[in-house]
Amino acid sequence: MATPIESHVDLAALPKEERLARMRHSAAHVLAEAMLELFPDAELGIGPPIDTGFYYDFRLPRSLTPEDLAWLENRMRESVARKLPFQMASISREEALERWKHQPFKLDLLRDLEDGAITQCTHGAFTDLCKGGHVNHTGEIGAFKLTSVAGAYWRGSEKNPQLQRVYGALFETEEELAAYERQLEEARRRDHRRIGKELKIFELFDETGPGHVVWLPNGATIRRELQRWMEDLELDRGYRHVVTPNVSKRQLYVKSGHWDHFHDAMYPIMEREGEEYVLRPMNCPSHIMVFASELHSYREFPIRIAEFGNMHRWEKSGQVTGMSRVRIMTLNDAHIFCTGPEMVEAEVEGVLQLMEHAYGVLGLQNYRYRLSLGDPDDKEKYVDNPEMWEKGEALLRRVLDRLGLDYFPAKGEAAFYGPKIDVQFMTAQGKEETLATIQVDFHFPRQFGLEYIGEDGSRHQPIIVHRGIISTMERMVALLIEEYEGNFPLWLAPTQAVVIPIADRHHAYARDVAAALRAHRLRVEVDDRNERMNAKIRDAQLMKVPYMLIVGDREAEARAVSLRVRGEGDHGSVPLDTVVERLRSERDGRVLGPGVHPATPAPRLGD
């Protein structure tokens, strides 16, 4: 027999975060109650609170429709209006097995619960297996709205059944919910998947597989410009670039530890002629091989090895999305080999300054610093070397503190071999993504037996700084699409200018204008289609081309163009030489330029 548990809570006395968690958890129960009315044979999964609301997983006889969501939401509001109390109770395993005998996912959850620790929550006629954390009654649930349905594997494993996950947004007030809905609308407007397709930046084909991005010519141009720019910045700072294989023997990753810590996220083994090969998940073992190819003197340090290296990770199908989460990615990667902690600190500071410069040019602004720490209690996830972790974490703290940077610690977010500084960027989608990362590594040098000749003539072990500045090319371009809403600054724009002749007789002059721009390596097209001029202007606007140069009789006679600028409109007749100089200067200066409005404001290094 169920034994009631006193669960009354003074909501007003709780921190807002906990109040919201209770409201959201309670709303998930109310959603499950409504779903059982719509589908009495529905099989229930779990319904936890999340950052913006809640979800509940169900196995249902058919796919849900928008009309179903509207019905469910209305039914939930009826339950809220009735102010039904949430009542917690402790029950025996026998009672639980009987109550949920027709609910296979609840029975699966029961296997993880110890006798005497099984509890349920009831409101109205609905009871769920639950450990608690609710408001007092349904009337205390805040403002909510059901938002979407997605697929989700039970317990996150592709080996298990796929369920339908119903998401809801929930906030304390209608005003907060409305603000969140505006944010969602802004996110939909800036969604890189839609804009990327419209601007012909990338495609994903079933034939090439999920998470395998195909860069179209426009996207390849953006990628090429970003890579050239970053490589030049790195060359200026003493980096040496290498090119290493995408495939290596499995044993390399066994030696590094990636196989033990990471093999579930790697592509399957390829076996030929008695050797096992894998697609690389990380670039660091390859760069370590480059360093180890010769014995170095202390005079050569720091040794900075960089590469835009391809990595392959088997992300679950349900987690792959657009270009922001993919299976094949190209990382702006580098490994800096140092002689001691003082050099490491200087190099970490230099990486942060390079990052600050790069983000300033790109207009990336809404970021914060996370000190990602290990977990000394987790010997399976992290290398068991307390002294190494203590040294690495103290070193990174010293750099952050010396630069006066605000940062927050995050236990359990480190790499398996060492702590790191992560630069966390809030995207236009309202999601936090890691862009730059800087890791201190005492482990791999010991693991690979790396040495150098010190000033004393004896052999010493180096320290490695792992770093990425602009993340992977895929994630960075996805982020830039959303930040700029497709309005790329001139230096990154796939087509920097379109010349539009008014009539056929102006084609020759249009080609002359294009040639004058191309002489300065500007990317320009001539739109000589048999279309009306206004249609050509509209098409250029839809493709978000920064400059339109319209030419007719007067322009040809004066060697000028009628200039239209994205975000500024018509500038009238302008001498061609002036236009060429304007575009050349704007490109070379890598200024954001007209029509570019990044989504968020900027913190600066040391502010």
Side-chain angles (χ1 to χ4, degrees):
M1 183 175 179
T3 304
I5 300 172
E6 175 58 41
S7 57
H8 180 81
V9 61
D10 182 359
L11 280 182
L14 296 177
K16 182 172 184 176
E17 184 176 341
E18 186 175 344
R19 287 200 305 273
L20 278 170
R22 286 176 174 270
M23 290 177 183
R24 289 164 175 169
H25 187 189
S26 303
H29 279 237
V30 176
L31 169 59
E33 173 198 21
M35 188 66 77
L36 284 178
E37 291 193 24
L38 185 60
F39 296 108
D41 295 330
E43 294 176 2
L44 306 181
I46 58 172
I50 56 177
D51 285 346
T52 58
F54 58 93
Y55 69 76
Y56 209 111
D57 293 338
F58 305 94
R59 182 152 64 179
L60 304 171
R62 64 169 173 81
S63 297
L64 291 168
T65 67
E67 291 75 21
D68 292 328
L69 286 191
W71 188 92
L72 290 165
E73 188 175 304
N74 287 334
R75 178 61 189 82
M76 290 174 67
R77 297 193 189 285
E78 292 175 11
S79 185
V80 168
R82 293 167 63 191
K83 298 185 178 181
L84 301 169
F86 287 98
Q87 299 172 323
M88 292 296 299
S90 176
I91 58 172
S92 69
R93 181 172 298 278
E94 291 73 22
E95 290 173 296
L97 291 171
E98 176 61 26
R99 174 177 287 279
W100 287 291
K101 62 184 178 182
H102 300 303
Q103 291 287 343
F105 304 114
K106 297 299 179 184
L107 295 177
D108 189 35
L109 293 172
L110 278 168
R111 296 189 187 100
D112 298 334
L113 300 178
E114 297 180 2
D115 291 343
I118 302 171
T119 56
Q120 66 182 25
C121 182
T122 300
H123 76 276
F126 175 76
T127 299
D128 203 354
L129 182 67
C130 180
K131 65 180 180 180
H134 295 277
V135 294
N136 298 301
H137 58 77
T138 57
E140 291 181 333
I141 291 174
F144 69 90
K145 181 179 180 63
L146 297 185
T147 56
S148 62
V149 180
Y153 290 106
W154 174 242
R155 292 187 180 266
S157 172
E158 293 172 320
K159 299 176 182 178
N160 293 332
Q162 188 173 51
L163 312 181
Q164 294 186 68
R165 176 170 293 177
V166 180
Y167 283 97
L170 188 149
F171 294 86
E172 280 195 291
T173 67
E174 292 290 348
E175 291 75 16
E176 290 173 307
L177 178 61
Y180 175 69
E181 290 181 298
R182 288 193 297 272
Q183 179 187 334
L184 285 182
E185 181 55 37
E186 176 74 359
R188 282 190 288 268
R189 192 166 62 82
R190 292 178 175 267
D191 192 329
H192 81 274
R193 293 167 296 183
R194 176 185 62 80
I195 296 174
K197 188 174 185 67
E198 291 174 354
L199 299 187
K200 301 180 181 179
I201 292 172
F202 75 100
E203 275 287 1
L204 294 163
F205 301 110
D206 288 341
E207 292 81 357
T208 57
H212 298 175
V213 171
V214 176
W215 294 82
L216 301 177
N218 285 347
T221 297
I222 297 168
R223 174 185 172 130
R224 181 180 66 247
E225 294 300 319
L226 280 171
Q227 181 168 338
R228 286 176 174 172
W229 170 59
M230 279 306 305
E231 286 176 339
D232 285 344
L233 289 177
E234 289 169 343
L235 287 171
D236 289 344
R237 288 159 176 79
Y239 287 84
R240 291 180 282 180
H241 292 96
V242 298
V243 178
T244 56
N246 291 324
V247 180
S248 294
K249 290 182 179 179
R250 182 180 73 91
Q251 192 59 35
L252 176 64
Y253 301 105
V254 172
K255 188 172 186 178
S256 71
H258 287 102
W259 184 257
D260 287 340
H261 291 273
F262 212 73
H263 73 271
D264 286 342
M266 293 172 66
Y267 275 64
I269 294 171
M270 297 174 283
E271 189 171 352
R272 288 290 186 274
E273 300 179 354
E275 297 282 3
E276 291 181 333
Y277 292 87
V278 292
L279 292 167
R280 68 175 172 193
M282 304 286 187
N283 301 315
C284 34
S286 299
H287 291 188
I288 288 170
M289 291 295 96
V290 172
F291 176 87
S293 65
E294 59 180 302
L295 185 60
H296 299 277
S297 162
Y298 72 95
R299 293 186 179 90
E300 301 174 58
F301 287 77
I303 296 173
R304 306 180 183 100
I305 297 173
E307 178 179 16
F308 275 80
N310 290 338
M311 305 187 304
H312 306 75
R313 300 180 185 177
W314 191 258
E315 298 278 2
K316 294 176 181 177
S317 297
Q319 296 175 334
V320 170
T321 177
M323 286 205 300
S324 60
R325 190 166 292 276
V326 297
R327 288 177 172 167
I328 302 176
M329 63 214 78
T330 305
L331 181 64
N332 169 220
D333 208 357
H335 296 87
I336 307 172
F337 296 82
C338 302
T339 58
E342 297 81 7
M343 185 179 289
V344 171
E345 289 189 33
E347 290 301 306
V348 169
E349 185 170 339
V351 170
L352 286 168
Q353 290 167 344
L354 174 57
M355 178 222 79
E356 169 70 17
H357 171 76
Y359 287 14
V361 171
L362 293 170
L364 298 183
Q365 304 163 350
N366 191 17
Y367 53 83
R368 59 181 185 153
Y369 296 93
R370 182 179 76 187
L371 179 58
S372 297
L373 308 174
D375 183 350
D377 298 325
D378 192 339
K379 309 298 184 185
E380 183 176 343
K381 183 177 179 181
Y382 297 107
V383 171
D384 185 11
N385 187 331
E387 181 184 358
M388 176 192 81
W389 285 98
E390 184 178 340
K391 284 166 58 178
E393 291 174 3
L395 188 155
L396 293 179
R397 285 184 190 275
R398 285 197 299 271
V399 175
L400 290 167
D401 291 340
R402 185 166 63 248
L403 292 174
L405 295 173
D406 289 331
Y407 62 93
F408 66 100
K411 183 179 179 181
E413 293 292 340
F416 74 84
Y417 50 83
K420 54 182 179 160
I421 297 170
D422 288 321
V423 180
Q424 301 296 106
F425 188 86
M426 185 61 68
T427 71
Q429 297 287 329
K431 298 177 181 178
E432 194 167 66
E433 298 275 14
T434 300
L435 291 187
T437 186
I438 309 166
Q439 303 165 11
V440 175
D441 174 15
F442 295 90
H443 175 68
F444 282 165
R446 185 179 70 248
Q447 194 80 351
F448 282 88
L450 301 182
E451 294 179 326
Y452 69 93
I453 302 300
E455 191 172 3
D456 59 1
S458 60
R459 299 195 175 205
H460 299 268
Q461 182 177 289
I463 306 168
I464 303 176
V465 175
H466 305 239
R467 55 111 285 207
I469 296 294
I470 59 169
S471 186
T472 67
M473 300 301 286
E474 291 74 16
R475 178 171 289 183
M476 177 54 66
V477 172
L479 187 149
L480 291 178
I481 290 171
E482 294 181 354
E483 279 293 292
Y484 301 148
E485 204 176 341
N487 295 299
F488 282 89
L490 186 76
W491 70 281
L492 288 176
T495 300
Q496 295 167 322
V498 170
V499 185
I500 300 175
I502 294 174
D504 290 353
R505 65 181 181 274
H506 307 126
H507 285 183
Y509 179 59
R511 288 191 290 271
D512 288 345
V513 169
L517 292 164
R518 289 180 184 135
H520 293 270
R521 301 184 66 83
L522 289 159
R523 296 185 291 275
V524 59
E525 296 177 1
V526 176
D527 189 347
D528 55 7
R529 296 174 298 158
N530 187 24
E531 296 281 353
R532 294 175 61 87
M533 182 185 69
N534 287 340
K536 296 177 183 181
I537 291 173
R538 183 190 66 244
D539 290 345
Q541 289 172 333
L542 290 174
M543 292 302 292
K544 301 181 184 290
V545 177
Y547 288 94
M548 285 170 273
L549 284 54
I550 301 164
V551 297
D553 292 333
R554 286 181 297 177
E555 288 76 22
E557 183 177 348
R559 193 164 176 76
V561 300
S562 179
L563 182 64
R564 294 182 65 92
V565 181
R566 182 185 63 196
E568 293 182 358
D570 189 0
H571 282 229
S573 181
V574 180
L576 177 57
D577 290 345
T578 302
V579 171
V580 171
E581 177 56 27
R582 171 171 176 164
L583 269 65
R584 188 198 61 76
S585 176
E586 185 177 321
R587 178 202 60 193
D588 293 349
R590 292 190 174 87
V591 297
L592 292 179
V596 184
H597 304 291
T600 48
R604 304 303 295 171
L605 190 64
D607 277 1

